[in-house]
Amino acid sequence: MEQCPKKLLEQVQDAIRLKHYSYQTEKTYIYWIRRYNILFYNKRHPKDMGSAEIEAFLTHLAVHENVAASTQNQALHSVLFLYREVLKQDLDIKVDAVRAKKSKYLPTVLTKDEVFATIQHLSGVHQLLIKLLYGTGLRLNEGLNLRVKDIDFAQNQITARDTKGNESRVTMLPESIAEELKIHLQSVKILHQQDLQKGYSSVYLPFALERKYPRAKYDWMNAVCFSFW
């Protein structure tokens, strides 16, 4: 029995995972390719388009949606990945779109007292996550993607995986929140076991690991530490 050809976004997903890009990069690329192909050009096939259509899309983002320069660059890299890595079309023509202006504003950095005051206005899991980010230097996505196996209470350290640049790194686990984090994980484990009994609680595994280890997605050590949905 012949298999139906994969849809375009499924092909994009396969190409991204073949290159072992991070899960965050995968979500970003698929988001912008969907915006480009499905929403902006109403499912017109990318093979029938080229530099002119890409320029119009990027110009629309800068002029009508007033996106930041970094956001416009994300969209450009995503669409170029579609053509070069999925459709195998190398766009030799320079994409000459209206470029979004780079921000000239310096970021606002909170003082130590301001950070503590902000934390005091939070509670529960949200407060614990912010404490963890502040105490470890983890990025937001690194904190949200943290797995149980990444936390080493014995050595007071955390391993951040699937980071920017797709390289793992180790950072310290502040002793001030270690006990609070243990209590949080105990409650998460109870929910994890309850979900398993109902047939839920599987987690995302990158790089075809789900096919190689089909039961790993149910393993407690692979469970995500923080979930807000």
Side-chain angles (χ1 to χ4, degrees):
M1 183 176 179
E2 294 185 2
Q3 293 183 343
C4 297
K6 289 188 175 182
K7 296 180 179 179
L8 182 63
L9 292 181
E10 292 176 335
Q11 296 177 43
V12 172
Q13 187 178 62
D14 287 346
I16 292 172
R17 295 186 178 181
L18 184 64
K19 289 185 171 293
H20 288 191
Y21 286 176
S22 71
Y23 181 50
Q24 184 61 36
T25 299
E26 177 182 319
K27 291 196 299 182
T28 299
Y29 277 24
I30 289 178
Y31 169 79
W32 284 114
I33 290 171
R34 180 184 286 114
R35 286 278 307 269
Y36 170 74
N37 172 234
I38 298 177
L39 300 180
F40 193 74
Y41 284 111
N42 196 26
K43 298 184 180 180
R44 183 180 172 188
H45 202 285
K47 285 185 176 180
D48 300 327
M49 300 185 285
S51 296
E53 285 77 13
I54 297 175
E55 289 175 6
F57 175 62
L58 296 175
T59 297
H60 169 80
L61 294 179
V63 175
H64 298 286
E65 298 194 18
N66 197 30
V67 300
S70 58
T71 301
Q72 189 186 42
N73 284 333
Q74 272 188 351
L76 173 60
H77 293 316
S78 303
V79 174
L80 290 181
F81 181 89
L82 167 66
Y83 280 95
R84 292 171 178 169
E85 303 298 335
V86 180
L87 303 178
K88 304 301 180 183
Q89 296 180 6
D90 192 10
L91 299 176
D92 295 327
I93 304 174
K94 182 180 179 182
V95 177
D96 189 22
V98 174
R99 305 302 291 175
K101 293 182 179 180
K102 292 184 178 180
S103 175
K104 296 181 180 180
Y105 296 101
L106 294 175
T108 300
V109 179
L110 299 179
T111 66
K112 186 176 180 179
D113 290 340
E114 289 173 332
V115 171
F116 288 159
T118 301
I119 291 175
Q120 291 304 313
H121 280 80
L122 299 173
S123 61
V125 180
H126 294 85
Q127 185 187 68
L128 177 59
L129 176 59
I130 297 303
K131 286 180 180 178
L132 184 70
L133 297 181
Y134 183 68
T136 62
L138 292 175
R139 298 182 179 90
L140 177 58
N141 281 322
E142 293 171 351
L144 292 174
N145 292 326
L146 200 63
R147 311 286 177 118
V148 174
K149 65 181 179 182
D150 298 330
I151 303 177
D152 186 343
F153 288 103
Q155 299 188 65
N156 282 331
Q157 65 182 29
I158 291 177
T159 301
R161 309 178 195 275
D162 198 20
T163 64
K164 191 173 183 179
N166 203 28
E167 296 180 357
S168 298
R169 60 188 175 88
V170 176
T171 185
M172 65 176 183
L173 168 62
E175 293 184 8
S176 60
I177 64 170
E179 194 60 33
E180 186 178 356
L181 186 56
K182 286 180 182 179
I183 295 172
H184 167 72
L185 291 182
Q186 288 174 0
S187 63
V188 173
K189 188 173 185 178
I190 293 174
L191 291 175
H192 175 77
Q193 292 171 339
Q194 291 174 346
D195 287 343
L196 284 179
Q197 293 173 357
K198 298 176 183 178
Y200 306 125
S201 200
S202 63
V203 298
Y204 166 80
L205 295 176
F207 313 145
L209 289 178
E210 184 174 343
R211 293 197 299 270
K212 188 174 183 181
Y213 306 105
R215 297 297 304 173
K217 64 182 180 180
Y218 303 111
D219 194 324
W220 160 241
M221 297 303 292
N222 289 323
V224 178
C225 298
F226 297 94
S227 179
F228 299 97
W229 53 83

